[in-house]
Amino acid sequence: MKKIMSANLFTLLAIFSSCGKEVKNSGTSLTVQRAELTASTISLNVSSDASSALVRVPQDAWVRIPETLKSQNLEASYFGKLYFNTNIQSEYGMYCVYKPTSNAFQFEGCYEDVDQDGIPDLISYFPGEEVAIDENNFIKLEIISEETLSHPNIRADIEVDWL
C-alpha cells in the first residue's frame, strides 16, 4: 500500500511540475500528459513501453466517448479501458471497454460499480455521448492483458468541449 501511495505522490508531483510536457514514470509504467485548453481533442497515447496513460483536465469539460481506439500493431489478446473523471487517489469510477477487431479497438460497453457491491455494472453510455470531467481530474487509458509480453501501441482521440 505504501508503495502505491508513493508512486501516486510521484505521479502527482510530476503532473503539477510538468508544464504541459509529457512525463514518463517507468516505475509505474504510466505516461502522464496535460490537456491544453485550446485543443478540441485530447489524445492519449500508450506506447509499447507503458501500460497506461493519464491526461489531467485543467478545467471542467464535457468529453465524448470515442467509438474506437487506434492501434498500430493490433493483437487479440489485449483490450483497452478508458476511465473518465477519475483522480489518482481514489478508486476509478466509470470506464469503457474496447475489444480488438481487424483494424482497431472497438467500443464494447461502459461500466461503473453503481450499487457499490464491488462488481462493475454495465451502464447505458455509448460512443458519441458526453461525459462530464471535473477540473483537475483525469482521463486514463489502460491496456489490459494476462500476458506480460510487449503490447500494442494504442491512441485514444477524445473530443472535448471546455466549460
Side-chain angles (χ1 to χ4, degrees), residues 95-140:
Y95 64 90
C96 298
V97 173
Y98 293 81
K99 296 285 183 159
T101 61
S102 59
N103 59 357
F105 283 81
Q106 190 70 35
F107 175 86
E108 182 182 79
C110 292
Y111 300 84
E112 187 172 14
D113 187 6
V114 178
D115 53 8
Q116 302 296 310
D117 64 355
I119 300 169
D121 303 295
L122 183 63
I123 56 176
S124 296
Y125 278 88
F126 300 98
E129 288 192 65
E130 292 185 325
V131 177
I133 307 293
D134 297 325
E135 179 179 1
N136 291 321
N137 274 356
F138 296 86
I139 301 170
K140 179 181 180 183

Side-chain angles (χ1 to χ4, degrees), residues 1-80:
M1 182 73 170
K2 287 183 181 180
K3 186 175 182 179
I4 293 171
M5 297 280 284
S6 66
N8 289 340
L9 179 60
F10 174 77
T11 303
L12 283 173
L13 290 172
I15 291 166
F16 295 119
S17 63
S18 69
C19 300
K21 297 177 186 172
E22 185 174 306
V23 177
K24 287 190 180 181
N25 177 353
S26 59
T28 59
S29 204
L30 174 72
T31 301
V32 179
Q33 301 161 299
R34 181 173 177 235
E36 298 298 326
L37 290 175
T38 58
S40 61
T41 302
I42 295 173
S43 292
L44 279 155
N45 297 291
V46 177
S47 62
S48 59
D49 63 346
S51 60
S52 60
L54 279 173
V55 63
R56 184 177 71 84
V57 179
Q59 177 178 317
D60 291 344
W62 287 96
V63 297
R64 283 175 202 75
I65 298 170
E67 186 172 342
T68 61
L69 305 178
K70 297 175 176 79
S71 180
Q72 294 176 347
N73 45 345
L74 201 61
E75 295 183 32
S77 62
Y78 295 92
F79 65 94

